[in-house]
Amino acid sequence: MERFDNNLTNVFNFRIKAWSSIRFYKEVVLPKLLEEKVIKISPFANRLSFDAPPAVQRLRCLANYEALRFSSRILNLGETLVLRMKECSANSGGKYLSVHLRFEEDMVAFSCCVFDGGELEKEDMIRARERGWKGKFTKPGRVIRPGAIRINGKCPLTPLEIYNSEKTMAPLLEMFPNLQTKEMLASEEELAPYKRFSSRMAAIDYTVCLHSEVFVTTQGGNFPHFLMGHRRYLYGGHSKTIRPDKRWLALLFDNPNIGWRAFKRQMLNMRSHSNTKGVELKRPNDSIYTFPCPDCMCRINRTVKARSSSAA
């Protein structure tokens, strides 16, 4: 890095098309890497095709689940909150359920859904969309239909904690008195270095969710997909995930005539279909980051068995 004055911004940035083939990396990226010695790839997510040989797939898993680490400060705080969650869950043997609501302003804005924040919400979301994705949502001919988005199950369940949070969160806290958020578990001083950085706050969430007994995800995106795969890899498939059917939920929530007993029956039925636990083999078009078996986990199992045999 000396030739770049130890400054990453001076390093050549290789913009690579999403889902590029291994051949492209060998013929185009590798020569540039050999020439420059150091390159950076930005954006970084989904730059390599999933159509790769087993050795490359295993390398991906090693990089994702073994080599990559959060910074020590973020990891230490995350692990501290895990311990505090277990202390709060002493009556259940330290087991807790984590729910990732995905209520960040950028996600709510990107969803183009409409909630009950009134004109303040509408104005905030327009500004957030323009700030984050300049011109993307205001192109001529683009029509945004929040109602259709909701019916299709693409809306967050409810991000009302952004607006008048004490009032809108009160019923949830009354129903679940043991509910904890990172703001409840950590002091203002502990969270202060991270509050202005959504990715750092998400890293803390990730750590707490990773070690939960059950993980409930309410929105798509890289966070839950990586987390489900990481939990499968870490616990050998013995990690429980609940993925509510938001299209089904939207129909239930919009039905003014449904009674509590019918609603409860529908929810129990939905839960039986959305619970996932076990290895779940990856299908041809699935992401290896969500379904690490068999590409990653079977090799680990063979290694463990070999070690056990040699030890015996």
Side-chain angles (χ1 to χ4, degrees):
M1 289 293 291
E2 290 182 2
R3 61 184 289 228
F4 302 107
D5 296 325
N6 293 310
N7 189 340
L8 195 60
T9 58
N10 296 331
V11 175
F12 177 79
N13 184 39
F14 212 128
R15 296 190 68 85
I16 298 176
K17 185 179 179 180
W19 314 117
S20 292
S21 66
I22 290 179
R23 181 177 179 180
F24 177 82
Y25 278 87
K26 287 181 178 179
E27 297 180 356
V28 181
V29 180
L30 181 58
K32 192 65 177 179
L33 175 60
L34 294 175
E35 175 189 341
E36 296 284 335
K37 307 302 180 188
V38 178
I39 63 172
K40 63 180 179 181
I41 299 174
S42 179
F44 185 71
N46 305 323
R47 296 304 106 181
L48 176 62
S49 170
F50 283 126
D51 184 18
V56 174
Q57 299 290 56
R58 288 194 291 272
L59 181 59
R60 281 175 130 155
C61 293
L62 286 173
N64 213 40
Y65 304 130
E66 302 288 352
L68 292 176
R69 293 286 186 275
F70 294 128
S71 69
S72 57
R73 291 181 63 192
I74 290 176
L75 190 59
N76 288 339
L77 179 56
E79 290 176 343
T80 297
L81 298 192
V82 169
L83 291 175
R84 292 174 186 172
M85 278 298 298
K86 290 182 177 180
E87 290 172 0
C88 292
S89 311
N91 291 337
S92 59
K95 298 176 181 180
Y96 62 90
L97 178 150
S98 62
V99 183
H100 187 243
L101 296 174
R102 192 76 168 91
F103 284 177
E104 294 89 343
E105 183 185 65
D106 62 334
M107 183 280 307
V108 178
F110 189 82
S111 73
C112 294
C113 299
V114 174
F115 299 94
D116 295 334
E119 284 299 313
L120 176 60
E121 174 199 321
K122 181 179 178 181
E123 294 170 6
D124 284 350
M125 295 303 102
I126 291 174
R127 283 194 295 268
R129 280 193 285 270
E130 191 61 21
R131 184 170 62 248
W133 302 274
K134 193 173 180 64
K136 179 180 177 70
F137 295 93
T138 55
K139 291 179 180 178
R142 172 142 193 184
V143 179
I144 297 174
R145 297 185 175 88
I149 296 172
R150 175 178 167 81
I151 292 299
N152 286 330
K154 301 298 184 182
C155 286
L157 292 181
T158 171
L160 290 180
E161 66 178 31
I162 297 175
Y163 301 96
N164 196 5
S165 60
E166 290 186 9
K167 177 182 177 181
T168 53
M169 291 294 285
L172 183 65
L173 291 170
E174 183 178 356
M175 187 175 292
F176 299 99
N178 293 329
L179 183 145
Q180 301 288 331
T181 67
K182 55 181 173 292
E183 287 78 13
M184 296 175 181
L185 291 168
S187 66
E188 289 187 10
E189 293 75 16
E190 288 175 313
L191 290 178
Y194 313 105
K195 277 208 164 183
R196 293 179 56 194
F197 305 94
S198 60
S199 60
R200 298 179 190 179
M201 294 288 274
I204 296 170
D205 292 340
Y206 187 98
T207 304
V208 177
C209 292
L210 179 64
H211 297 287
S212 62
E213 179 74 8
V214 180
F215 170 58
V216 181
T217 177
T218 65
Q219 188 70 4
N222 287 334
F223 183 106
H225 291 156
F226 286 173
L227 188 58
M228 284 188 283
H230 197 167
R231 284 166 55 82
R232 286 178 174 130
Y233 179 89
L234 187 64
Y235 301 113
H238 300 288
S239 60
K240 190 170 186 176
T241 297
I242 297 177
R243 289 177 286 181
D245 185 332
K246 290 189 295 177
R247 186 178 299 177
W248 194 348
L249 280 173
L251 294 174
L252 293 177
F253 291 154
D254 290 345
N255 181 359
N257 300 317
I258 191 168
W260 173 250
R261 293 180 66 179
F263 179 77
K264 182 179 179 181
R265 185 173 62 253
Q266 292 277 3
M267 292 299 292
L268 289 173
N269 189 22
M270 184 188 303
R271 190 181 70 177
S272 68
H273 286 86
S274 64
N275 281 1
T276 60
K277 186 174 183 178
V279 173
E280 284 196 84
L281 297 179
K282 184 175 79 67
R283 294 165 296 187
N285 295 324
D286 286 336
S287 164
I288 194 172
Y289 299 127
T290 308
F291 300 94
C293 187
D295 302 74
C296 309
M297 296 170 63
C298 289
R299 184 178 178 85
I300 290 174
N301 291 339
R302 286 200 299 270
T303 303
V304 170
K305 288 178 181 178
R307 287 175 181 170
S308 300
S309 298
S310 61

